[in-house]
Amino acid sequence: MTATQLSASTGTGDSGRAAHTAALPTPDRRPRRRGQWAAWAFLAPVVIYLVVFYAYPLVRNLDLSLRDYTVRSFIDGTAPFVWFANYLTVFQDPTFWPALANTATFTLVSIVFQYSIGMALAVFFFQRFPLSATLRALFLVPWLLPLLVSASAWSWMLNSDSGVVNYLLSLLGVDAVNWLTSPQWALVSVLIANIWIGVPCLGHHDPARARLHAEGVRHHLDHDPRRSRVELDHLRHLVVPPRVRVRPPRPQPRGGGRQPAHRDRPGLRADLHPRPAPTGGLIMRRRPWWITAIGIVLTAIMLFPIYWMINVSLTPQSDMRKSPPDLFPLTPTFEGYEKVLSDQLPYLGTSFVIGIGTVVLTLLLSAPAAYSLAKLRPRGGNALSFALLIAQMIPGIIMAMGFYAIYLNAGILNSVPGLILADSTLAVPFGVLIFTAFMRGIPDELLAAARIDGAGTWRTFRSIVLPVSRNSIVTVSLFAFLWSWSDFIFASTLNSGGKLQPITIGIYRYIGNNNQEWNAIMATAVVASIPAAVLLILAQRYVAAGVTAGAVKD
């Protein structure tokens, strides 16, 4: 065969290569396009939510700042543009720059102390000791209390005349401090209360877990054989080879029977059922009792304001100004709780409805969006994740100003649905981020098996992903409920004149109307704190797993 014939037969010429390329099957891009459509179908609700409840209020705020508004022009929308005149007025105000300096000082000092104290506590509670999980859960209670409850507790503790802080300082030989009336000490008082609120969040983390080769881990949903290193939730998940966990046979004197003697030592036979080594003898050692004692003392110090709130709620009104104050309720009374049950029950019911509505709306929006970001990987997913992170950082007071103008025009001001929509803005970005981190840990093989069995994208999400994501569902639901329960900014801005108002408004009005009946005020604060404490204790196991899911990259 000549070279020309060989070239023609094999298609090595230009025309042959072209014919060979044309003969190759073109890849079908329709499945990939269908996957992108499905991904964005899951993302569409949260994208619309971000545009309507984040972007539009921020644009509305910007428009408000560039106009000269009066009450009349605010209602009819005829305010003229003044461009940056409002900003110049603010910058020229003599109180602006001192307030900005105080805010910067407050923020910097709070961050330094919260991180230093919180990380020190986290290092201590990293240790495994009796009651460690329960103590870590109790540490979160101050962080989840309604802000008005924390403010009420600290305002009474720092009272110059009968506050317990001055009494404890007097036992140390320190003179009384005017915590709330002195301008210098007032900032210190706010710093103390803010540090107390923020420390539990930074100090509540799961202990670092052992990192082992994949062959040493039980095969469950968290196991991926393609990863060289995985994390153990507990050391009981470790699979130890038999030669390691079983001791060699121990020769024993032969006492008759048909068992053969030990081949090396006549008169001895092998013990066919050796006693197992004591549990945890080589892997975990028992912590001394004093570590648990230190943990209890630290938790008691952290929860002392809550205890003092309960103590004051049980103190008779005649002993309220007693100096020194009683550290224990020697003659307890329930008059404050009787007044709470008669006056505050409608507020509690409204807060419960708002909390449930916020949880439902948060789960409906955040879970599908997180599944799309974690497993369907849509184009633009990274940009959306960054937008959610930015949305989580926007202060609530900024959102409340935009919501007020929108709600006024929409006719949902002073309504429960309006508060549910506003409170969900605190929880939806958080829920998407938590769900995304958790769902990324679900093995792709599990979803592939569902597709092989004929399950579509929605069926896989509903029947496979959601049941596996139980920990993250409980975590997001808990925080969404407690954030809506403790909200005061949206409630005071968007529902100050409504017929159905949450418990934070009830506490605020009760303090204003009964500024002398501190046992009733503290009883109201205690009742408002019960849901946070009960839900956190019941769900602390799921919260620990849900918050730390995906936190460590292998």
Side-chain angles (χ1 to χ4, degrees):
M1 181 181 294
T2 64
T4 304
Q5 294 174 336
L6 181 62
S7 174
S9 62
T10 58
T12 56
D14 293 340
S15 59
R17 284 196 297 268
H20 180 69
T21 303
L24 292 177
T26 58
D28 188 4
R29 299 182 180 273
R30 286 177 295 177
R32 182 179 298 179
R33 292 176 180 175
R34 286 197 298 267
Q36 289 295 315
W37 279 108
W40 277 102
F42 277 85
L43 278 179
V46 79
V47 171
I48 296 174
Y49 179 86
L50 289 176
V51 172
V52 175
F53 294 104
Y54 278 93
Y56 182 68
L58 292 177
V59 173
R60 192 76 173 94
N61 278 339
L62 181 61
D63 178 73
L64 290 173
S65 68
L66 299 177
R67 294 177 180 268
D68 184 15
Y69 274 101
T70 62
V71 176
R72 181 182 180 86
S73 62
F74 182 82
I75 295 176
D76 57 25
T78 59
F81 265 104
V82 293
W83 298 104
F84 299 101
N86 293 327
Y87 291 92
L88 293 177
T89 302
V90 171
F91 292 151
Q92 294 173 0
D93 192 320
T95 61
F96 172 74
W97 296 107
L100 184 62
N102 291 335
T103 303
T105 302
F106 172 80
T107 304
L108 181 61
V109 175
S110 296
I111 290 176
V112 170
F113 278 91
Q114 285 176 358
Y115 269 89
S116 57
I117 298 175
M119 294 306 295
L121 292 173
V123 169
F124 175 81
F125 282 104
F126 272 178
Q127 306 176 79
R128 297 286 188 179
F129 56 86
L131 300 179
S132 61
T134 302
L135 296 180
R136 286 200 306 271
L138 292 175
F139 249 82
L140 266 182
V141 173
W143 184 56
L144 295 174
L145 288 180
L147 187 60
L148 274 178
V149 171
S150 303
S152 301
W154 278 100
S155 64
W156 185 252
M157 290 176 58
L158 297 174
N159 187 279
S160 302
D161 299 327
S162 54
V164 68
V165 174
N166 277 343
Y167 170 66
L168 296 177
L169 291 177
S170 66
L171 298 179
L172 301 176
V174 180
D175 295 335
V177 178
N178 297 324
W179 295 100
L180 304 179
T181 57
S182 173
Q184 293 78 15
W185 287 107
L187 180 59
V188 176
S189 303
V190 178
L191 279 170
I192 293 174
N194 189 64
I195 292 170
W196 177 76
I197 294 172
V199 162
C201 178
L202 297 173
H204 187 272
H205 297 283
D206 244 11
R209 295 166 181 167
R211 295 176 176 270
L212 299 173
H213 191 271
E215 296 302 325
V217 181
R218 293 178 188 260
H219 293 264
H220 50 72
L221 291 179
D222 292 333
H223 171 62
D224 188 350
R226 296 174 302 174
R227 301 165 64 186
S228 60
R229 302 168 70 192
V230 296
E231 296 177 356
L232 292 178
D233 290 332
H234 196 277
L235 286 176
R236 64 173 176 268
H237 295 158
L238 177 63
V239 178
V240 183
R243 65 179 180 273
V244 176
R245 67 173 182 261
V246 179
R247 296 183 300 175
R250 180 179 57 187
Q252 294 181 353
R254 185 172 60 182
R258 299 182 179 180
Q259 295 183 2
H262 196 274
R263 63 179 183 179
D264 297 329
R265 300 178 62 183
L268 296 178
R269 61 179 174 83
D271 185 4
L272 298 182
H273 302 284
R275 290 176 296 177
T279 303
L282 296 177
I283 297 179
M284 297 184 64
R285 59 186 181 89
R286 185 181 298 276
R287 298 288 181 181
W289 62 269
W290 55 265
I291 295 183
T292 302
I294 293 176
I296 293 175
V297 171
L298 292 174
T299 306
I301 295 174
M302 196 67 192
L303 299 181
F304 180 78
I306 299 176
Y307 163 75
W308 194 251
M309 183 172 60
I310 299 173
N311 181 34
V312 173
S313 69
L314 298 174
T315 301
Q317 189 64 32
S318 58
D319 297 337
M320 198 62 59
R321 298 289 179 177
K322 183 178 179 180
S323 183
D326 294 329
L327 296 179
F328 304 96
L330 301 178
T331 56
T333 178
F334 293 93
E335 295 177 356
Y337 290 94
E338 294 175 359
K339 294 181 180 179
V340 170
L341 296 179
S342 62
D343 298 339
Q344 302 294 324
L345 280 182
Y347 296 98
L348 292 171
T350 303
S351 289
F352 183 79
V353 172
I354 294 174
I356 295 299
T358 303
V359 169
V360 172
L361 181 59
T362 300
L363 293 180
L364 289 177
L365 291 173
S366 59
Y371 172 63
S372 177
L373 293 174
K375 292 301 180 183
L376 303 182
R377 299 175 179 86
R379 293 189 182 94
N382 293 333
L384 181 60
S385 299
F386 182 74
L388 289 167
L389 185 61
I390 296 298
Q392 183 73 14
M393 300 167 60
I394 299 175
I397 186 62
I398 296 178
M399 303 298 299
M401 296 171 61
F403 278 137
Y404 185 86
I406 297 172
Y407 283 14
L408 183 63
N409 296 328
I412 57 175
L413 197 65
N414 298 322
S415 65
V416 172
L419 274 185
I420 292 176
L421 290 173
D423 288 337
S424 66
T425 59
L426 303 172
V428 168
F430 170 82
V432 175
L433 296 176
I434 290 294
F435 274 127
T436 302
F438 189 92
M439 292 178 181
R440 280 175 179 164
I442 300 177
D444 293 335
E445 290 79 5
L446 185 64
L447 307 185
R451 288 194 295 269
I452 292 174
D453 292 338
T457 305
W458 169 251
R459 179 63 182 275
T460 302
F461 169 71
R462 180 170 58 88
S463 301
I464 304 298
V465 175
L466 284 183
V468 172
S469 305
R470 179 183 59 180
N471 290 342
S472 56
I473 292 175
V474 174
T475 301
V476 173
S477 301
L478 175 66
F479 282 94
F481 181 86
L482 293 179
W483 282 337
S484 63
W485 181 273
S486 62
D487 169 64
F488 178 71
I489 294 177
F490 290 138
S492 60
T493 306
L494 307 176
N495 196 16
S496 59
K499 296 181 179 179
L500 299 176
Q501 295 180 334
I503 187 61
T504 51
I505 297 296
I507 296 175
Y508 178 72
R509 292 185 172 179
Y510 205 72
I511 293 175
N513 298 332
N514 304 278
N515 54 6
Q516 300 298 324
E517 298 181 6
W518 276 96
N519 58 352
I521 294 174
M522 290 301 174
T524 306
V526 170
V527 172
S529 306
I530 290 176
V534 172
L535 291 177
L536 184 61
I537 292 175
L538 294 178
Q540 60 92 14
R541 179 166 60 93
Y542 303 100
V543 172
V547 170
T548 58
V552 179
K553 185 177 181 180
D554 292 332

